[in-house]
């Protein structure tokens, strides 16, 4: 009886640690981590271990198809980013391959994160902050960069710069009490002007440019859909096309563009979806006092 109890406890804790696992056709193990229930802004990791080779495995989420990458012989991995404004409720996650060896649907529940709301009162007059479509287009394109190889493995990564957390991911922006659909897509790290900004992990610089609103901006493609963004920097020390290593100096903290004081806005994207960099990806950053 005691042994059974112990075994039940072990399986309970391993389930907590390893996420949800299931076996398909007796020879394909799928793990959905951290669980089949996640919160807005979180990262879902799909891992597959198979006895047989799979052909171009993919997953479908909200009508879009994403590649599942080969990690090793018969082992595969993919990331799924849940945005801060993803609809709470059950979403279908379908995993399958091209050789009809695998087809499995999961019910992925997204729970509300209850991000704080920032309401801005706007009068009839036009704000001085006008959208720059060219700038937005270039950044949006860079965020979607997907190279096949993953340049990262050991997580969590070091924070890109030393400092405290002055603004969290997910802050919902309202105008006159109404949601704008806009939210804080990264974190703001308060730090002195001129302090070194490092890359989070190895990757390729896909954008390094001075912009009017975002200021000095660097976007790095870390492979397999993971992209990091660094904005409002004082200086940029890399150029487009550079291959950078983890913790390499890429710029300096600043307040260029539409910014009210020296800080680094750091964003992390999975297949173009902004996710919470604090959860899962970065070592702890303490909030500013
Ligand atoms: Zn920010």
């Amino acid at each position: 009886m005691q042994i059974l109890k112990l075994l039940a406890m072990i399986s309970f804790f391993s389930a907590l640690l390893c996420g949800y696992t299931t076996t398909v056709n007796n020879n394909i193990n799928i793990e959905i981590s951290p669980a089949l229930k996640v919160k807005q802004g979180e990262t879902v990791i799909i891992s597959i271990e198979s006895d047989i080779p799979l052909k171009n495995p993919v997953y479908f989420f909200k009508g879009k198809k994403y590649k599942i990458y080969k990690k090793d012989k018969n082992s595969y991995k993919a990331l799924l980013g849940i945005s801060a404004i993803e609809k709470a409720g059950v979403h279908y996650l379908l995993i399958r391959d091209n050789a009809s060896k695998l087809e499995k649907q999961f019910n992925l529940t997204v729970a509300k994160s209850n991000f704080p709301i920032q309401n801005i009162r706007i009068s009839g007059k036009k704000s001085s902050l006008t959208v720059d479509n060219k700038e937005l287009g270039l950044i949006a394109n860079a965020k979607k960069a997907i190279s096949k190889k993953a340049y990262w493995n050991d997580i969590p990564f070091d924070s890109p710069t030393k400092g405290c957390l002055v603004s969290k991911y997910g802050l919902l922006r309202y105008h006159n009490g109404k949601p704008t659909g806009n939210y804080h897509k990264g974190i703001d790290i308060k730090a002195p002007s001129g302090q070194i900004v490092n890359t989070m992990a190895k990757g390729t610089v896909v954008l390094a440019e001075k912009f009017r609103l975002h200021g000095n901006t660097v976007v790095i493609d870390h492979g397999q859909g993971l992209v990091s963004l660094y904005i409002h920097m004082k200086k940029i020390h890399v150029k487009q096309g550079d291959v950078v290593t983890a913790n390499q100096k890429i710029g300096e903290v600043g307040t260029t563009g539409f910014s009210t004081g020296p800080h680094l806005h750091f964003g992390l994207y999975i297949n173009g979806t902004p996710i919470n960099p604090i959860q899962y990806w970065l070592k702890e950053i303490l909030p500013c006092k």
Side-chain angles (χ1 to χ4, degrees), residues 96-138:
R96 74 166 187 223
D97 88 323
N98 242 344
S100 307
K101 300 259 169 54
L102 166 63
E103 176 144 352
K104 176 82 181 165
Q105 186 178 289
F106 297 87
N107 290 340
L108 185 74
T109 304
V110 175
K112 273 195 175 259
S113 270
N114 295 317
F115 292 116
I117 292 167
Q118 179 190 41
N119 185 37
I120 299 169
R121 289 179 64 109
I122 291 180
S123 62
K125 284 176 203 158
K126 220 179 167 191
S127 120
S128 60
L129 180 68
T130 48
V131 175
D132 189 325
N133 286 325
K134 194 187 164 211
E135 180 174 332
L136 286 177
L138 281 169

Side-chain angles (χ1 to χ4, degrees), residues 27-146:
N27 53 13
I28 305 169
N29 289 312
I30 304 177
E31 183 187 324
I32 311 289
S33 179
L36 275 181
K37 187 175 180 181
V38 289
K39 279 183 163 182
Q40 291 165 328
E42 281 191 346
T43 300
V44 178
I45 302 135
I46 300 164
S47 310
I48 304 172
E49 300 281 342
S50 171
D51 287 348
I52 46 160
L54 301 173
K55 199 178 170 196
N56 301 326
V58 289
Y59 75 83
F60 291 82
F61 186 70
K62 302 207 69 177
K64 276 190 181 171
K65 186 165 90 173
Y66 303 92
K67 199 171 157 58
I68 301 176
Y69 297 90
K70 193 171 179 171
K71 228 175 78 189
D72 241 319
K73 191 178 178 270
N74 301 343
S75 110
Y76 306 83
K77 194 174 180 175
L79 300 171
L80 163 58
I82 308 294
S83 102
I85 51 169
E86 182 55 81
K87 237 183 164 180
V90 176
H91 298 278
Y92 300 120
L93 169 65
L94 176 71
I95 298 174
R96 74 166 187 223
D97 88 323
N98 242 344
S100 307
K101 300 259 169 54
L102 166 63
E103 176 144 352
K104 176 82 181 165
Q105 186 178 289
F106 297 87
N107 290 340
L108 185 74
T109 304
V110 175
K112 273 195 175 259
S113 270
N114 295 317
F115 292 116
I117 292 167
Q118 179 190 41
N119 185 37
I120 299 169
R121 289 179 64 109
I122 291 180
S123 62
K125 284 176 203 158
K126 220 179 167 191
S127 120
S128 60
L129 180 68
T130 48
V131 175
D132 189 325
N133 286 325
K134 194 187 164 211
E135 180 174 332
L136 286 177
L138 281 169
I139 294 173
N141 254 342
K143 283 173 191 168
K144 287 185 207 144
I146 298 178

Side-chain angles (χ1 to χ4, degrees), residues 167-168 173 184-188 231-232 263-266:
S167 181
K168 287 182 186 172
R173 292 189 176 123
H184 195 219
K185 297 185 177 74
I187 53 169
D188 290 343
I231 64 174
H232 302 308
H263 75 284
L264 174 72
H265 172 102
F266 172 77

